[in-house]
Amino acid sequence: PGGGGEAVYIPYNTSAGVVNGKLNVHVVPHTHDDVGWLKTVDQYYVGSNNSIQNACVQNVLDSLVPALLKDENRKFIYVEQAFFQRWWRQQSDMIKDTVKGLVSSGRLEFINGGMCMHDEATVHYIDMIDQTTLGHRFIKEEFGQIPRIGWQIDPFGHSAVQAYLLGAEVGFDALYFFRIDYQDRDTRNGTKELEVVWRGSKTFGSSADIFAGIFPKNYEPPPGEFYFEVDDTSPVVQDDPLLFDYNVEQRVNDFVAAALAQANVTRTNHIMFTMGTDFKYQYAESWFRQMDKLIHYVNKDGRVNALYSTPSIYTDAKFSTNEPWPLKTNDFFPYADNPNAYWTGYFTSRPALKRYVRMMSGYYLAARQLEFFIGRSKSGSTTDSLGDALALAQHHDAVTGTEKQHVANDYAKRLSIGYKKAEELVSTSLGCLSESGSNSRCSSPTTKFVQCPLLNITYCPPSEMNLSQGKSLVVLVYNSLGWKREDVLRIPVMSDSIVVHDSEGREIESQLLPIANASSHLRDRHVKAYLGTSPAASPKFWVAFPASVAPLGFSTYFISIGKRSASISSTSTLNSQGSESRNLQVGQGRLKLQYDAAGALSQYSDSKTQVEANFEQKYKYYLGQDGSGDDPQASGAYIFRPKGVVPIKTDGQRFLPRFCVGPYWMKCISRLIHGYIR
């Protein structure tokens, strides 16, 4: 009833390799799986909460293995190890052996290889390295492979640090990505400079060069409707002559047209079709069935050569042409995909989460060092949970702050759980290190250290103990850095008769800072939220004192009640500026700050350099575009688009700063209030 003829079994020929003298279309099947965005990482994996987004990574990996086994020429690349490792630990030995065979034969290739596809702007380079190491170590241990290719296809702009440190220095042969400024892309399309040699480091020069490929449009299939998920609307290749809608010729023409268009903006006779996008291949056979047909019929047509490929094969093919490539230096920042759509909003989105990630990163570094010093436990606490949580948090929809609120909560929860587990290890390790004669395998020290992660709300239970009757609070300070660290410590205390001694018994200079009422109220409210009950008593002071710690070492200080030496200890008071018509100068060394009678910073001076500068202090804020008007682009979590800068009106109001000044600590609190402070 269709186009006539006779229906027969068609053995699709997908065995094509690179053909010299022809345009080679490298068909690269892939999926891009965010480890959290609209749903949490675990919701994405198991496929729950699909009212938000229909996505199940478990389906992708489950259906991928039998699809690859159907044809030895089929290939697939996978990126996010956080998902793959979740899937891997659930598989039988038989499935694992099968997958190892697919990997060793090159039909399944791990690309990028980190736990996630990390951001490149708001992350710290140490965290980029750590999360990449976790993924690569697993791949090496399980499959004996090391990823060759960087695949940063979705982060919102790209850093030169990624090119040289997380690219060339990692050992990658190439780095592929998508998001660059739309004007830059248009220019590069016209000059055939989408593929370049990226020199990301001025210091290392050409030794850290890496081949970099920018996709001409996005990381999805090319124009012409080549989406083949079961619920996609692209026309499939209908090649049964007994059925209606026979369209082989049309589909081949669509494929060739897309190939020629991409070849016009690409150097050499090799181009890449990225066949996939976010959370695709949930039923992998629906994609491979159509790609088998396209490769078969396109190669019968003969105008171009299509082949199953991977970025590694594509990179090798590019290298073999001996083509000279343009040189790129510096970053691909900021990223804009349209006029007035600069993706710089995420630089500051969810600042509390950004701060939490950075704090946990530093803690993770120290915890791993201490874990090594005393020996890793097979049954006790480890740093693994915190390491996994931090790896997820580097994702380009995590630390960036571009995820939904419940997903941000999930990242924070994982960090908190990881911290609690690492905290036990750190306490044990510090106890072991502090006890003389302890060997490196100490596991049960008699000294018990307690940490204070809630100092930001002035809560530290050990420091609120009764120090009467000769008791002392022992403060151990550990330095995880490779150089000497000198800093000022602040600890909340109950008494104003506090003395601080070092490990040699010498009294050291200290400063008592009164805790403001506003801080006490915040403390009580948040502590009750954490513990369910209000604290019994509130500290009245911070004690501030200088600490000096050797590289990778620790120092011990003792806080007790006693008579303070007036020459080296002081008690500060909170002074309100603005209630009197006089200037206030703060700073006890060469640097001085001067505040005028209204409480505004007015002058800075340096007695050593003789530099003196006047200031005018104003308070302003940005109004964000709301998307109304001719241009619908709004300001938000991704994009910073201010409508203007608006000064905070102070008519009838006054800024009344409160100063707390001493030898080690000067704090200025500015609050805008109606009228005067009562």
Side-chain angles (χ1 to χ4, degrees), residues 577 582-587 592-595 603 605 661:
Q577 178 71 353
R582 62 182 178 87
N583 294 335
L584 174 68
Q585 183 172 273
V586 298
K592 299 285 192 299
L593 297 177
Q594 183 168 297
Y595 291 81
Q603 192 177 78
S605 63
V661 182

Side-chain angles (χ1 to χ4, degrees), residues 110-132:
F110 294 114
I111 298 292
N112 226 30
M115 299 297 285
C116 68
M117 190 178 291
H118 56 231
D119 175 51
E120 298 182 32
T122 62
V123 291
H124 193 280
Y125 74 94
I126 291 293
D127 297 326
M128 299 164 77
I129 293 171
D130 283 347
Q131 79 87 18
T132 302

Side-chain angles (χ1 to χ4, degrees), residues 45-250:
Y45 177 69
V46 301
S48 61
N49 216 354
N50 278 344
S51 61
I52 296 177
Q53 185 180 10
N54 187 8
C56 176
V57 177
Q58 192 172 21
N59 286 347
V60 174
L61 295 169
D62 280 344
S63 67
L64 177 63
V65 175
L68 289 175
L69 292 174
K70 279 192 174 184
D71 185 335
E72 65 180 6
N73 299 307
R74 291 176 174 179
K75 292 178 173 59
F76 195 83
I77 61 171
Y78 199 74
V79 176
E80 294 84 6
Q81 286 301 301
F83 284 130
F84 185 85
Q85 291 178 25
R86 279 166 167 75
W87 180 81
W88 184 252
R89 62 176 176 250
Q90 296 178 317
Q91 304 310 305
S92 67
D93 290 342
M94 183 180 70
I95 294 295
K96 288 183 177 181
D97 288 342
T98 300
V99 173
K100 288 179 179 179
L102 292 172
V103 172
S104 64
S105 65
R107 292 150 71 183
L108 173 62
E109 184 175 347
F110 294 114
I111 298 292
N112 226 30
M115 299 297 285
C116 68
M117 190 178 291
H118 56 231
D119 175 51
E120 298 182 32
T122 62
V123 291
H124 193 280
Y125 74 94
I126 291 293
D127 297 326
M128 299 164 77
I129 293 171
D130 283 347
Q131 79 87 18
T132 302
T133 300
L134 283 179
H136 282 210
R137 184 173 63 191
F138 170 84
I139 295 170
K140 177 68 174 177
E141 290 175 351
E142 292 290 335
F143 301 97
Q145 301 267 350
I146 300 175
R148 290 183 52 197
I149 304 294
W151 189 257
Q152 290 286 107
I153 61 176
D154 199 28
F156 321 131
H158 301 281
S159 167
V161 172
Q162 177 68 34
Y164 84 86
L165 185 60
L166 276 300
E169 294 294 300
V170 167
F172 288 160
D173 294 328
L175 170 64
Y176 295 95
F177 50 94
F178 151 55
R179 297 190 186 275
I180 68 170
D181 184 273
Y182 70 101
Q183 299 158 105
D184 191 8
R185 187 188 310 279
D186 290 344
T187 300
R188 292 177 180 278
N189 272 325
T191 58
K192 290 191 174 183
E193 294 186 0
L194 287 170
E195 294 175 324
V196 299
V197 169
W198 192 354
R199 183 167 296 169
S201 172
K202 294 180 181 179
T203 302
F204 295 119
S206 60
S207 65
D209 286 354
I210 190 170
F211 180 76
I214 307 160
F215 301 142
K217 184 173 175 60
N218 51 38
Y219 56 82
E220 303 187 10
E225 296 190 274
F226 296 102
Y227 295 82
F228 300 122
E229 203 72 14
V230 290
D231 57 351
D232 281 329
T233 59
S234 296
V236 299
V237 181
Q238 206 297 83
D239 60 348
D240 187 341
L242 297 181
L243 303 179
F244 288 152
D245 304 323
Y246 185 87
N247 65 354
V248 171
E249 183 178 358
Q250 181 59 53

Side-chain angles (χ1 to χ4, degrees), residues 337-388:
D337 57 350
N338 284 295
N340 299 319
Y342 284 86
W343 293 43
T344 55
Y346 77 95
F347 293 172
T348 56
S349 295
R350 301 194 188 279
L353 180 62
K354 284 178 166 63
R355 173 63 175 162
Y356 194 28
V357 170
R358 187 60 54 84
M359 288 175 61
M360 290 299 99
S361 172
Y363 190 82
Y364 180 52
L365 173 64
R368 280 187 296 168
Q369 292 173 357
L370 293 169
E371 185 176 32
F372 173 78
F373 289 158
I374 68 166
R376 184 175 173 86
S377 172
K378 294 183 179 180
S379 57
S381 300
T382 70
T383 58
D384 291 348
S385 180
L386 181 56
D388 289 341

Side-chain angles (χ1 to χ4, degrees), residues 457-479:
I457 57 170
T458 325
Y459 183 60
C460 181
S463 71
E464 297 170 15
M465 63 183 291
N466 185 352
L467 296 180
S468 61
Q469 299 177 351
K471 292 182 179 179
S472 294
L473 174 68
V474 181
V475 180
L476 187 148
V477 188
Y478 177 74
N479 177 18

Side-chain angles (χ1 to χ4, degrees), residues 467-509:
L467 296 180
S468 61
Q469 299 177 351
K471 292 182 179 179
S472 294
L473 174 68
V474 181
V475 180
L476 187 148
V477 188
Y478 177 74
N479 177 18
S480 62
L481 302 180
W483 54 89
K484 183 180 180 180
R485 180 87 182 270
E486 294 182 339
D487 210 335
V488 176
L489 302 185
R490 285 196 315 157
I491 298 173
V493 292
M494 306 296 289
S495 172
D496 61 354
S497 301
I498 291 295
V499 182
V500 182
H501 294 87
D502 63 15
S503 58
E504 301 296 326
R506 296 175 299 227
E507 182 179 353
I508 63 173
E509 190 170 10

